[in-house]
Amino acid sequence: MPAVPTDSLVLLTGASGYLAVHVLQQLLERGFRVRGTVRSKDKGDYLKQLLAKDGLDSKFEVAIVEDVEKPNAFDEAVKGVDAVVHTASPFHFNVSKADELIGPAVQGTLSALRAASQEPKVKRVVITASFACVVEPKEPVYTFTEKDWNNFSTQQVEEKGDDCDKSQMYRASKTLAERAAWDFVDKEKPSFDLTTIQPPLIFGPLLHQCEKPESLNTSVNNFYQFLEGNKSAEDAQTGFGSFVDVRDVAHLHVESLVKEEAGNERFLVATADTSYQPLLDLFFQHASPALKDAFPSAQKGNPGAPKPTQNVIDTSKARRVFGWAPKDPKDTVIDMAQSLSEYKKQKWT
Ligand code: NAP
């Protein structure tokens, strides 16, 4: 028995985001009906047009939720749904105060859970958490599992306040939001169960509305800066932990609704631990001449340079429960570069 039958109505929060549009597309392809929250009518219209190209728009409806931090943000949108997938949370560093990230991350999560607990039909809530909720400084080689929690970033924010490094503010926002979610389920004992997905940096093709390169989501923008030659060969050698394909992360959100055993579990997901160098090597080895021409200043780095020693992410639980295997990194890199070249040509000129 699937936890949530595949013709059910799912509330998808932040439906216009980079990851969420992939989740939306895969939910509809799987047979689910989806109510997606977006911040403006324009973002909803974009999604309807995008889905209509593949005949997927008939089971999609839009609900406007301008700010997830506002109390009771999802009380209307949740009515009649059977499950919730909560992706909406700020992932950027354009803030001066930690609360600008922590507020929407934590309050948005709690609003989604409170709303779900008032809707008796909801059987499962899936939350896009992050590897940021898990990773903290460790001596290599350490293997992270679902038992690990990031206590470092929240301590940094407590000690340094708004002088804290922005990436630690983001990591703290995700950690506090995920902690709040598990505490909510522990204390309130709602009739639904909870699944959290913990991706590291997400790469892969874009589907979402993005009118200019400055609006690119944070993770894809990191790679785009190498393609445009705005990063150095030295930057390419810096280890950044790990990455995972956006289509894999979306797939695991959808499967988390379906698999009974996914209830009340965290799942680490990752393709490979790496620096940017191996990804640039894949780009230069496999991109077509036309794709290379789209990025004439792309940073080559030092091809074949050894990877820095990094910690490891144990993804055995996701592989076992979902029968999942990560996509080939070559496809992630080439499909991401290809879609960036198309956005550049069609939308950014
Ligand atoms: P994204 O494109 O920036 O998506 C974030 C979504 O959240 C957008 O739809 C955004 O709406 C919405 N949002 C943010 N703050 C909001 C607020 N106060 N009220 C209403 N909506 C709000 O980034 P993404 O990479 O797809 O991130 C999606 C989720 O994945 C986030 O929870 C993020 O923490 C998590 N994640 C991402 C990565 C990664 O590498 N990309 C890795 C691990 C986890 P607008 O665009 O309209 O502002």
Side-chain angles (χ1 to χ4, degrees):
M1 260 280 282
V4 183
T6 51
D7 56 353
S8 304
L9 179 61
V10 178
L11 177 68
L12 173 65
T13 73
S16 55
Y18 166 59
L19 166 65
V21 183
H22 286 271
V23 177
L24 171 61
Q25 194 181 51
Q26 292 192 27
L27 282 169
L28 292 166
E29 283 168 356
R30 195 78 154 83
F32 286 104
R33 293 170 290 128
V34 181
R35 182 178 299 149
T37 75
V38 292
R39 304 178 89 162
S40 65
K41 182 178 175 304
D42 177 53
K43 294 194 178 205
D45 290 345
Y46 173 90
L47 290 176
K48 282 185 193 155
Q49 280 165 23
L50 178 80
L51 296 168
K53 287 183 200 156
D54 297 320
L56 288 170
D57 54 323
S58 66
K59 293 182 178 172
F60 172 62
E61 56 188 89
V62 172
I64 308 284
V65 174
E66 282 172 11
D67 186 358
V68 298
E69 195 176 352
K70 289 202 175 137
N72 310 109
F74 298 110
D75 284 10
E76 269 307 302
V78 83
K79 287 186 177 152
V81 308
D82 305 286
V84 177
V85 177
H86 178 57
T87 79
S89 198
F91 181 17
H92 59 78
F93 305 121
N94 312 323
V95 292
S96 48
K97 295 180 190 314
D99 270 350
E100 292 171 50
L101 297 175
I102 293 172
V106 174
Q107 295 312 321
T109 299
L110 286 173
S111 282
L113 291 166
R114 284 191 199 111
S117 66
Q118 283 157 29
E119 186 56 52
K121 285 169 70 188
V122 175
K123 295 174 198 69
R124 180 158 293 170
V125 175
V126 178
I127 294 180
T128 317
S130 176
F131 184 55
C133 315
V134 174
V135 66
E136 54 177 13
K138 300 271 189 200
E139 282 302 311
V141 173
Y142 180 84
T143 300
F144 287 100
T145 72
E146 283 84 359
K147 293 196 175 70
D148 288 300
W149 277 92
N150 174 6
N151 296 308
F152 178 78
S153 302
T154 44
Q155 275 164 12
Q156 288 282 298
V157 171
E158 272 166 33
E159 283 166 21
K160 298 184 181 168
D162 295 331
D163 294 328
C164 182
D165 181 79
K166 303 264 171 50
S167 67
Q168 296 302 340
M169 291 181 186
Y170 169 71
R171 288 177 179 201
S173 79
K174 294 300 285 179
T175 306
L176 291 168
E178 194 196 341
R179 284 251 187 235
W182 289 114
D183 286 350
F184 180 94
V185 169
D186 233 32
K187 284 192 194 118
E188 303 296 327
K189 311 222 173 326
S191 52
F192 57 80
D193 54 23
L194 175 67
T195 304
T196 60
I197 308 290
Q198 327 276 157
L201 272 186
I202 304 175
F203 292 143
L206 302 139
L207 294 171
H208 68 299
Q209 188 178 26
C210 179
E211 305 297 354
K212 50 185 192 305
E214 294 75 26
S215 311
L216 269 176
N217 64 294
T218 301
S219 55
V220 173
N221 185 48
N222 287 354
F223 189 73
Y224 180 67
Q225 294 308 320
F226 282 97
L227 288 182
E228 291 296 7
N230 299 330
K231 294 272 185 185
S232 69
E234 202 183 10
D235 293 332
Q237 311 310 320
T238 314
F240 61 78
S242 187
F243 75 97
V244 62
D245 192 288
V246 67
R247 294 159 292 191
D248 282 344
V249 184
H251 171 73
L252 294 171
H253 279 71
V254 176
E255 288 306 303
S256 292
L257 291 178
V258 177
K259 283 266 179 209
E260 188 62 54
E261 313 88 278
N264 289 326
E265 299 288 348
R266 306 173 91 197
F267 288 98
L268 289 180
V269 295
T271 301
D273 57 304
T274 190
S275 57
Y276 283 97
Q277 185 66 58
L279 305 183
L280 297 172
D281 292 349
L282 287 171
F283 174 76
F284 283 102
Q285 280 159 23
H286 298 285
S288 65
L291 185 52
K292 284 183 195 156
D293 284 351
F295 301 104
S297 311
Q299 174 60 255
K300 280 200 170 69
N302 294 308
K307 276 197 310 183
T309 308
Q310 295 199 81
N311 292 319
V312 173
I313 304 180
D314 178 358
T315 58
S316 57
K317 187 159 124 185
R319 290 168 189 262
R320 188 178 69 250
V321 171
F322 300 112
W324 170 68
K327 274 194 184 301
D328 185 335
K330 168 177 78 71
D331 294 336
T332 305
V333 169
I334 296 301
D335 295 350
M336 174 164 58
Q338 183 64 42
S339 94
L340 282 165
S341 77
E342 283 158 19
Y343 271 59
K344 224 178 136 169
K345 205 164 137 195
Q346 293 163 16
K347 305 186 188 207
W348 298 344
T349 46

